[in-house]
Amino acid sequence: MTDFICHPAGSISGELRVPGDKSISHRAIILSSLAEGSSDITGFLRGEDSLKTLQAFRDLGVEITDNGEDISVHGVGLEGLKAPDHELYMGNSGTAMRLMTGVLVGQPFDSILTGDASLSSRPMLRVIQPLNLMGAVIDCLPEGTAPLHIRGGHPLTGIEYVLPVASAQVKSCVLLAGLYAKGETCVIEPLPTRDHTERMLRGFGYQVHRDEDRICLKGGGVLKGMNIEVPADISSAAFFLVAASIAPDSDLTLTHVGINPTRTGVIEILRLMGADIEILDERDAGGEPVADLRVRSAELKGIDIPEELVPLAIDEFPALFIAAACAEGRTRLSGAAELRVKESDRIQVMADGLVALGVQAEARPDGIVIEGSPGDQVFSGGQVDSAGDHRIAMAFAMASTRASGTIEIHDCDNVNTSFPNFVELADAVGLQIERPEPEESGEEDA
Ligand code: S3P
């Protein structure tokens, strides 16, 4: 298992382009595989999560090539997938599993989706229930978890589904199944969630209607191959937005970051806390807005985080909790129970790590209360367990910009799911992270 050894760091400065957006990378592979004709994808995230989706479509008979720059997908059309000859392994990726389920219920063949220990404990009834209403047949464990055995050949009918939780994964799953359903499928979301699926479907020439909180499409259409440019992932940029805000004398520019308004909650929350973030050179990248983000050190203050921003910053809370620890006064988060069912229980694991580093933090069923302190050395050195959660590992690495001693973060392998060159890029802008070679476990040939 890889650990990060994070030595106290100084200012965070320079220019940085973080890897491609994970959510958009998954969707680029899915929709271009189901399209007629070829699609080239630039900026694709070669992280373990999106590579799981890529491999799944190869296993389903789609020809996908990688020339080291672009990924070329030779789409087979909505009806062109082939039965896989083995289980489809989704690793750590909830997005891969939930979106694939929406595609696979529309196929004439059976398939099985599996995942690692974290993914195998995450709730899947949230996608199984609406798909059942459409006519799909899916077996799971009694706890409502993977492996998922998806029975093919059951005709689907469109539904109108009110999402019980604000989840873009559930919305996208139902819309993907809707491509295969008779009639119209509509999803109503309680709060806006990321809308990459809807945008990209339109880019592929598929009609999707949105009327306030209701998103509808009709089954039986055609997707036409297109070229896709994946912007840099704001969820990866978020760590550096926080680091450059809390580290003294910082001035960092993050280039070509996706700033889709359904993803920019982290900027809004940091600005409410007093952060100095400029959005520069806003432009369009194939239907998604992108910009350069310039962030400089600022005195942050604690806030009550507005609940409507929660889905718009859902993956950025580990990083935001580090910012809250460095802010003057108390930060309160509520309405975020979803954080307990991410790659780890992000409320508890973050609270434990903050306390281990000398910060006062109290986990609540649907959020957290953090007592910030604006001193130079907010965090003591110490040991933190990331619980195998990529975003928790990266968030605690940022704490080293305001730490009095070395922070050792355990179980960091999964950083590769979303940000494979994290340590190299972080060290290039001023962090001091070492990654000792993991020790051999057991003797060879034993
Ligand atoms: C994602 C949606 C979010 C997010 C996840 C990616 C997506 O999950 O946490 O990392 O790509 O649709 P939920 O939709 O379940 O909140």
Side-chain angles (χ1 to χ4, degrees), residues 21-24 26-27 49 94-96 98-99 122 126 165-172 193-194 196-197 235 263 311 314-316 338-339 341-343 346 390-391:
D21 188 281
K22 184 151 72 74
S23 293
I24 296 176
H26 283 293
R27 288 158 171 83
D49 275 13
T95 310
R98 296 196 178 113
L99 270 55
R122 295 180 66 186
R126 57 180 58 196
V165 283
S167 165
Q169 291 181 357
V170 179
K171 170 177 68 175
S172 301
T193 67
R194 66 192 68 192
H196 307 301
T197 303
S235 297
R263 296 287 296 283
I314 192 67
D315 291 335
E316 287 67 74
E338 274 295 294
L339 293 179
V341 290
K342 293 294 178 189
E343 286 83 326
R346 286 185 174 159
H390 56 137
R391 300 204 194 278

Side-chain angles (χ1 to χ4, degrees), residues 17-25 41-45 196 200 228-236 255-260 263 283-291:
R17 178 164 173 164
V18 300
D21 188 281
K22 184 151 72 74
S23 293
I24 296 176
S25 294
I41 308 169
T42 50
F44 178 76
L45 170 67
H196 307 301
M200 205 183 282
I228 300 167
E229 190 187 333
V230 181
D233 197 330
I234 190 168
S235 297
S236 298
T255 59
H256 210 71
V257 182
I259 53 156
N260 178 319
R263 296 287 296 283
R283 51 208 186 267
D284 176 87
E288 289 280 349
V290 299

Side-chain angles (χ1 to χ4, degrees), residues 141-200:
L141 294 185
E143 301 77 33
T145 51
L148 304 183
H149 193 153
I150 298 157
R151 311 279 169 188
H154 290 269
L156 305 178
T157 310
I159 53 167
E160 169 150 328
Y161 190 65
V162 181
L163 293 178
V165 283
S167 165
Q169 291 181 357
V170 179
K171 170 177 68 175
S172 301
C173 168
V174 174
L175 291 176
L176 288 168
L179 299 175
Y180 291 94
K182 192 163 163 250
E184 195 174 41
T185 297
C186 295
V187 180
I188 296 159
E189 47 182 11
L191 284 172
T193 67
R194 66 192 68 192
D195 64 357
H196 307 301
T197 303
E198 301 92 296
R199 281 178 191 249
M200 205 183 282

